[in-house]
Amino acid sequence: QIQRALRSLSIPLERLHIMKGHMMQDMCKGLSRQTHAQAKVRMLPTYICSTPNGTEKGNFLVVELCQSQVRTLLVTLYGDGNMSPQMVYKIFDLPEGITQGEGEALFDFIAQCVSQFLAETFSSDTRKSEERLPLGFVFPFSCRQTQLDKAELLYWSKGFSCSDVVGKDVVQLLQSAINKKQELCHVDVVALMNDTVGTMMTCSTEGRTCEVAIVADKGSNCCFMAEAYLVETTDETSGRMCVNTEWGCFGDDGTLNDVFTPYDECVDVESNNPGEKRFEKMVGTLYLGEIVRHALIALTAEKAIFTETNIAVLEEKGVFTMQHVLDIINNEEGTSDVKRILEVLGLQPSERDCGRVQQICRAVVGRAATLHATGLAAILSYMCQTRDMATLMVNVGVEGELYVGYRRFEEILMSVSRLLSPECMATLLPSRDGSGRGAAMVTAVALRLAAQRREVNEVLAPLRLSRADLEKVQALMREEMERGLCKETNATASVRMLPTYVSHTPDGSERGNFLALDLGGTNFRVLVVHVTEEGISMISEIYVIPAAIMQGTGEALFDHIIDCIIDFQMKQNLVTDMLPLGFTFSFPCQQMGLDKALLLTWTKGFSASGCVGQDVVQMLREAARRKQHLGMQVVALVNDTVGTMMACGYDDPKCEIGLIVGTGTNACYMEEMRNVGTVEGDQGRMCINMEWGAFGDNGCLDHIFTHFDKVVDETTINPGKQRFEKLISGMYLGEIVRQILMVMTEKQLLFQGKLSPKLQTRNIFQTKFLSTIELSNGLALRQIRAILNELELDASFEDSVLLREVCQTVSLRAAQLCAAGLAAVVEKMRENRGLDQLSVTVGVDGTLYKLHPRFSNNLQKTLKDLAPNCNVSFMLSEDGSGKGAALVAAVASRAANTME
């Protein structure tokens, strides 16, 4: 019978693994907005989003409401890593009957305790009344917390039943009582918490970070720092938040039934809440003595123990206390002390009885320690998984009667949790006065974060654009567009509005083979594009332009290009065909017609002589004549933005806008010819290459240019030029972020105020870093740490969260400004056509738009807000400079054939 009883109190490792899995599932249910109400592990948000970092300083007042006392505490922190906080205590007994009286009387009494404590602690000349004194309130009752300083009492327990408190904000009730006292006018209640959270925060002092806490006491609970975006019951999405698991109710749905012994059933039935808090009833010190008592009663009935003594004394509930249990199991030398304890209870045990009672006590307490370890393993594995880490190293704060009183508790907690979660390494930290000092730490951290938040907002405020700001940018873009289209003002407009002589978008009837030439750097592409009823197919080849030819004569350059075209056509068996060719030429030109464009200047390392001021299409034709090549006919010269619009226009006839948001930015759209004052004719439409990157070069955007933008602009090769582009495009966003990071570090908001030499290197922070940092809603911490390590920065978790906020602010502004520009375009098109509602598609290309995880959504959302009468779709372009150029040639050929 003894062996059977011991086996029932021993849970196999495989069963512990299953239990751990069930607890993790219930944790997920508790965090989910949809299933939170049904979860037994409640996972309550505490609104504590950071642990101490050692810089906290000042005086912090704590009030703890206990079973029969009010405990007051003043903690002074010195910003020295919290190595030597100074503490002063005073305890006040609650007056008789106050716990069942009026709620107002209870809170008035607490305020009176605070007043008396401060009067005794501070002399009148050492305290300036204008200095605010923050207060942390430890309130050990079930509350629905919605902010750190807002919590509604759900129900009283522990013998309290004060009227007019349930459903009220207890923080506000205490603050109201404090406000009644003139001498407490400088006291502000800033945080409310329970004792488990206090334990975690206390253990986060003395230079260590603690992210988990277990209280193994009369009740049992655990809290930990969870990824904030997983706590769906709050609106917080970045960083971490401490979650109070309330794991005592685990198993109330029946998942622990198979390990619930008959002794546990008896304890549960006799409790005040049968069927509830079943996990707590197996591990809490309030219940362990009772479990032992019922086990001894059952074994006596089976004549396994106490066969020669009357056990009537064991029939009395509560007679076998936790202290009895601890005294019995901690006795390693024989059974004489066990015999003495049992005799004091009124039993007459034999030597064998004493040994067996000791075995039962050890089994009950050992099981409690094992179950605590299983819960801890579930927490640790959950943290490891949700942080996307291969291994987790974490400090765990522990306190409570079981931890302090049972010598093997720590050993069992560590060994079993390690078996169940081998990927996690926990270090236990004993808590010293978790409720008091921890509450002071919560309060101190809250104030530090509030001060930091004010400074961060101050730094980022100029980059955060209001709707009015964006409407003004939209209106200014519209003004500059009108100036660029008008013949009289075109020369002084910052948005040039260049005519492209592309008058039609594809209508789907285009057929045939077309050549495309894409020249924009040391490599260039030749393509053949087959347009059939089935769709478009392409074959291309890349050719190199040697440096000697790039810097030689214009004739040599264009001869080399024709040689490559001939080589390509021969390989594709196209030499005998006279194919229309679209020419993407990515150098500054003044376009005089669809197939006529004067080179304004070379860039990108080219300096071929005899080309500037010449018609590049004509130079290509002359080279073909020199080489006697008749297999092509240059019909159009295009830039990549127009190519993007045309490439998408083949698949969607409503595509009449092209947008590039990559290293640079630009837009084009189909404008009514009657509005294009720089070209003769009023009929039909023409694609206008806006060259909007230069928007603001005339100073009209100075009001949104921040200090950071000015510094970036001044260090570019073209200061004062392309100012709109410098707010939006990928070439500059990383550098803007770097400038912000340096200012924040100097203000001690990041990296402990330490600037690394690498962070001071221009352009070291690449724009692709923004995409990586903003990629995961859960903050892909390892990737961010890898970036920061590359920059030789020692970053805390909070640093990583703030870095993400900086990146989000910069990329959001870029998307919003792009949307404001686009809103001006679509609204103009709608008004041009006299429509109440415009439906149009934007063909879009560029790495920033395609690769950044939030840019496209932010752009589309802002555009919808700024241009509500326009239904705008976006289509990603495939090869605007190749396929798009060929389609410009195809449309031009179709138009020519129609005219013939």
Side-chain angles (χ1 to χ4, degrees), residues 169-236:
D169 178 3
V170 292
V171 174
Q172 188 54 51
L173 290 174
L174 177 57
Q175 187 68 63
S176 296
I178 285 171
N179 291 346
K180 292 178 188 176
K181 294 191 170 291
Q182 182 60 38
E183 69 273 19
L184 298 182
C185 63
H186 59 293
V187 175
D188 301 312
V189 186
V190 299
L192 177 135
M193 74 230 66
N194 71 3
D195 53 350
T196 317
V197 175
T199 296
M200 185 185 79
M201 297 301 273
T202 289
C203 293
S204 286
T205 59
E206 299 176 13
R208 305 162 305 194
T209 299
C210 179
E211 295 188 271
V212 185
I214 293 176
V215 171
D217 204 70
K218 289 183 171 53
S220 175
N221 197 13
C222 180
C223 69
F224 72 101
M225 295 300 288
E227 305 304 297
Y229 77 100
L230 294 170
V231 189
E232 294 181 6
T233 49
T234 74
D235 295 326
E236 188 63 51

Side-chain angles (χ1 to χ4, degrees), residues 483-542:
R483 283 166 51 79
L485 287 170
C486 177
K487 188 174 184 179
E488 289 73 26
T489 53
N490 171 266
T492 58
S494 66
V495 181
R496 294 298 306 280
M497 304 296 283
L498 304 174
T500 66
Y501 298 89
V502 172
S503 301
H504 300 89
T505 54
D507 64 4
S509 67
E510 295 78 14
R511 299 287 181 271
N513 296 328
F514 304 91
L515 288 173
L517 176 59
D518 179 12
L519 176 62
T522 53
N523 295 337
F524 75 100
R525 286 188 308 155
V526 183
L527 307 90
V528 62
V529 178
H530 305 288
V531 185
T532 65
E533 281 187 24
E534 286 73 40
I536 293 178
S537 60
M538 295 184 291
I539 300 169
S540 68
E541 188 163 342
I542 294 173

Side-chain angles (χ1 to χ4, degrees), residues 544-554 556-558 560-561 606-609:
V544 175
I545 302 177
I549 291 178
M550 286 169 62
Q551 291 149 22
T553 65
L557 172 62
F558 284 95
H560 175 72
I561 291 170
F606 280 73
S607 60
S609 61

